[in-house]
Amino acid sequence: MKKAATKTFTGSRIRHQRNRVSMTQSALALRLGISASYLNQIEHDIRPLPLPLLGALCDIFSVGADYFSDTEETRGIQALREILTDPVFDTDGIRLDSIQAAMRAAPDLCAQFVRLYRAYLLRQEHTAAPLVGAVAPSPARQDDAPDRVEPYEAVNDWVQFQRNYFDEVDRTAERQFEMIRLDEGSPREQLTRYLLDHHGIRTETDLSLGQRGLMWRMDRRARTIFLSRILPAESSTFWMAQALGQIEHQAVFARTIRRSRLRESEARGLARVYLTNYFAGALLLPYERFRITAREVRHDLERLQRHFGVSFEQACHRLSTMQRPGSQGIPFYFLKTDIAGNILKSFSANRFTQSRFGGPCPLWNIFRAFSTPQQVQVQLSQTTDGALYLNIARTVGRSSISYLDRPRLTAVVLGCSIADAEHLIYSAGLDLNDPQMIIPIGPGCRACTRENCHHRALPMVGHRVDVNNEGRGIAPYRTAL
């Protein structure tokens, strides 16, 4: 069930890159070996981008091929569709093709509109009436300006823009893996020995860390890394790798952050935390070794776990980062949620985009995973834009250490285009051409256009509700004709 190739219109993205480097249309046409009039037609979306020109554009502007795909446009359209479901807008006259035209003609303006709406939601939260007995919100600070974006959202946007791949950090970790020779024995023992031999830092277990809500901490004066006793072995190894990144590679992290558009100190601090985690994953799962092994075992996550001594979540997350130019892995999306549907992590190297302003779809197999702990759930799904995905979901996290312990219940889902499904062990036994196997999922009920869904919880915004009492439909809210 592979989708036919579609024409790619990239005019605004080519124009944006050309203006960024102050290059005229004639100069770019000359470098591409085409006429200026032909380039002008491409930039105005009169003609699609021919595949032979894609590589040349990537070399000229130093960007990946996916920059010129419709992935970011699809995410932008989905965000606008969700925003326009807010009752504050009168959206009866706004059609999908109008939103698509706006994204193509003015992507930067649309991005600023999304930013403005997010700031509006943030201000709504800050000014909401407090619960009885709650402390009243403090007066607005200068940092709470209407156009301010929450730091964690700014970092998430930055990571998504990078497609969750940071080349310098990744290659630094890969070189260190070879230097330490982490494959010659237990990675935890190798890291313990390296930290002691090269930095004089010991590793010990602290029984009180868990009671203080900490997994690990580093005491530089005592030259000791303290680890919580409740950590499983693979988590302890990960935190040791993270500590090594903090000790040796702050300059690499700083250079990477300087190239970002992050300006607020809090956002830059969160970005440093993220890069430290990224380094740890890249050290334990070095890029080329992991990519080749993943292909050999058909991306069998359990086998990857055992081979590299990592957790299920770490293996999933690493697969979502395999976007090194010239050596890409399968483009996956990765998402982690708790049992209440709160999104804890979300990255996508393909066109999949999760709901940004509403709850996730209950038909998604990540929620079914909670009813079968530690068991892999496989699902074929189709989003409202017609894209087909193979999704792998499972619960993750530690088990209880006592009756009174309350570990967080979380699950992860890893998904790829159905066009890549044959490279995954999880497609074994599935009839990829049987439409009955495909589960329709949406961006959240308010923005979802599927009317006859048994799981609809809210009416579709922008349409009148059928209030006829002489019949009852599948869903409690039906759209009036």
Side-chain angles (χ1 to χ4, degrees):
M1 191 178 289
K2 293 186 178 180
K3 295 179 68 177
T6 57
K7 295 180 179 180
T8 302
F9 293 90
T10 61
S12 60
R13 278 159 278 178
I14 295 174
R15 189 164 53 250
H16 174 77
Q17 288 296 324
R18 183 170 57 76
N19 293 331
R20 182 179 63 84
V21 298
S22 302
M23 182 184 295
T24 65
Q25 200 173 70
S26 298
L28 178 57
L30 183 62
R31 294 192 62 178
L32 292 173
I34 60 176
S35 67
S37 61
Y38 185 29
L39 177 59
N40 184 65
Q41 290 178 323
I42 293 175
E43 286 197 5
H44 286 86
D45 288 332
I46 298 173
R47 292 197 179 191
L49 175 67
L51 188 59
L53 296 182
L54 179 60
L57 286 169
C58 293
D59 292 339
I60 292 170
F61 297 124
S62 299
V63 295
D66 289 307
Y67 176 82
F68 296 106
S69 73
D70 64 354
T71 299
E72 292 305 319
E73 182 178 299
T74 300
R75 292 196 184 98
I77 291 171
Q78 182 60 46
L80 290 176
R81 288 181 63 190
E82 291 180 31
I83 288 172
L84 293 173
T85 64
D86 192 307
V88 74
F89 299 107
D90 180 6
T91 59
D92 286 345
I94 300 180
R95 296 165 52 89
L96 176 59
D97 54 1
S98 298
I99 298 175
Q100 293 170 331
M103 274 300 301
R104 286 184 180 175
D108 292 339
L109 180 61
C110 291
Q112 290 303 317
F113 177 74
V114 173
R115 177 183 174 88
L116 177 63
Y117 182 76
R118 286 163 61 177
Y120 159 75
L121 290 184
L122 180 63
R123 179 53 60 91
Q124 292 288 94
E125 293 174 1
H126 283 184
T127 57
L131 298 174
V132 176
V135 178
S138 58
R141 302 171 301 168
Q142 183 65 30
D143 286 347
D144 293 330
D147 64 343
R148 180 176 182 266
V149 175
E150 287 285 5
Y152 71 89
E153 289 188 340
V155 172
N156 190 72
D157 288 346
W158 170 59
V159 172
Q160 183 58 65
F161 181 77
Q162 297 293 328
R163 303 190 78 227
N164 200 18
Y165 176 75
F166 296 89
D167 191 73
E168 185 179 8
V169 178
D170 213 295
R171 293 182 187 274
T172 298
E174 192 171 30
R175 288 192 297 269
Q176 187 141 37
F177 176 94
E178 301 297 341
M179 188 262 288
I180 299 177
R181 299 177 179 176
L182 281 183
D183 58 329
E184 297 182 2
S186 163
R188 177 168 181 170
E189 293 176 359
Q190 295 291 84
L191 283 173
T192 300
R193 186 179 301 111
Y194 179 86
L195 287 167
L196 184 61
D197 293 346
H198 288 75
H199 298 284
I201 294 178
R202 297 175 294 110
T203 304
E204 295 184 2
T205 299
D206 186 338
L207 302 181
S208 67
L209 283 183
Q211 299 173 353
R212 289 182 279 163
L214 297 173
M215 293 293 100
W216 72 280
R217 71 178 182 87
M218 182 160 53
D219 188 332
R220 292 183 182 270
R221 293 185 61 183
R223 307 196 69 77
T224 303
I225 296 174
F226 295 99
L227 300 170
S228 171
R229 68 169 180 169
I230 67 174
L231 288 176
E234 60 269 17
S235 296
S236 296
T237 306
F238 183 86
W239 296 128
M240 291 169 65
Q242 188 187 64
L244 177 58
Q246 290 193 15
I247 294 168
E248 291 193 358
H249 302 297
Q250 285 294 332
V252 175
F253 303 154
R255 282 195 299 271
T256 303
I257 294 171
R258 278 199 299 270
R259 291 191 290 265
S260 73
R261 298 178 181 177
L262 301 172
R263 296 293 176 262
E264 291 189 5
S265 59
E266 188 175 348
R268 294 169 75 89
L270 289 174
R272 187 173 294 105
V273 171
Y274 179 81
L275 291 178
T276 306
N277 285 329
Y278 185 99
F279 170 85
L283 177 63
L284 299 177
L285 301 164
Y287 193 96
E288 277 303 312
R289 286 175 179 250
F290 185 71
R291 184 183 68 86
I292 293 171
T293 304
R295 281 282 184 178
E296 290 174 348
V297 302
R298 297 187 64 199
H299 302 83
D300 188 321
L301 290 159
E302 285 86 354
R303 292 183 65 181
L304 289 171
Q305 274 186 267
R306 290 195 300 271
H307 184 89
F308 290 96
V310 296
S311 69
F312 187 89
E313 180 181 346
Q314 288 164 3
C316 287
H317 187 277
R318 186 55 168 151
L319 283 175
S320 74
T321 69
M322 309 302 284
Q323 295 302 306
R324 179 176 292 179
S327 187
Q328 291 95 337
I330 290 177
F332 285 100
Y333 77 82
F334 169 80
L335 185 139
K336 181 178 181 179
T337 182
D338 64 16
I339 198 170
N342 298 304
I343 305 299
L344 309 177
K345 296 180 184 177
S346 177
F347 313 108
S348 179
N350 52 42
R351 65 184 294 172
F352 182 88
T353 178
Q354 58 112 358
S355 176
R356 302 180 69 175
F357 303 103
C361 179
L363 287 170
W364 212 357
N365 65 333
I366 192 170
F367 296 109
R368 187 174 294 275
F370 287 106
S371 64
T372 57
Q374 305 301 309
Q375 294 182 23
V376 173
Q377 291 279 342
V378 180
Q379 177 191 62
L380 295 178
S381 68
Q382 183 176 39
T383 51
T384 51
D385 63 355
L388 300 170
Y389 296 94
L390 174 66
N391 308 316
I392 306 104
R394 205 197 81 173
T395 55
V396 296
R398 65 177 181 85
S399 57
S400 299
I401 60 173
S402 74
Y403 173 71
L404 297 178
D405 188 25
R406 297 291 184 269
R408 173 186 270 182
L409 295 174
T410 57
V412 296
V413 60
L414 189 72
C416 69
S417 167
I418 198 171
D420 295 312
E422 61 185 286
H423 301 296
L424 274 66
I425 191 68
Y426 304 99
S427 65
L430 294 180
D431 185 352
L432 302 180
N433 295 301
D434 184 357
Q436 297 183 81
M437 294 289 294
I438 299 172
I439 305 299
I441 64 173
C445 290
R446 293 177 65 84
C448 185
T449 56
R450 293 190 173 98
E451 182 176 347
N452 295 323
C453 176
H454 294 254
H455 298 263
R456 178 172 288 281
L458 294 168
M460 192 189 319
V461 171
H463 300 270
R464 290 186 300 108
V465 177
D466 185 356
V467 295
N468 183 2
N469 291 319
E470 296 180 1
R472 175 66 184 264
I474 294 174
Y477 307 101
R478 302 188 70 237
T479 301
L481 299 177

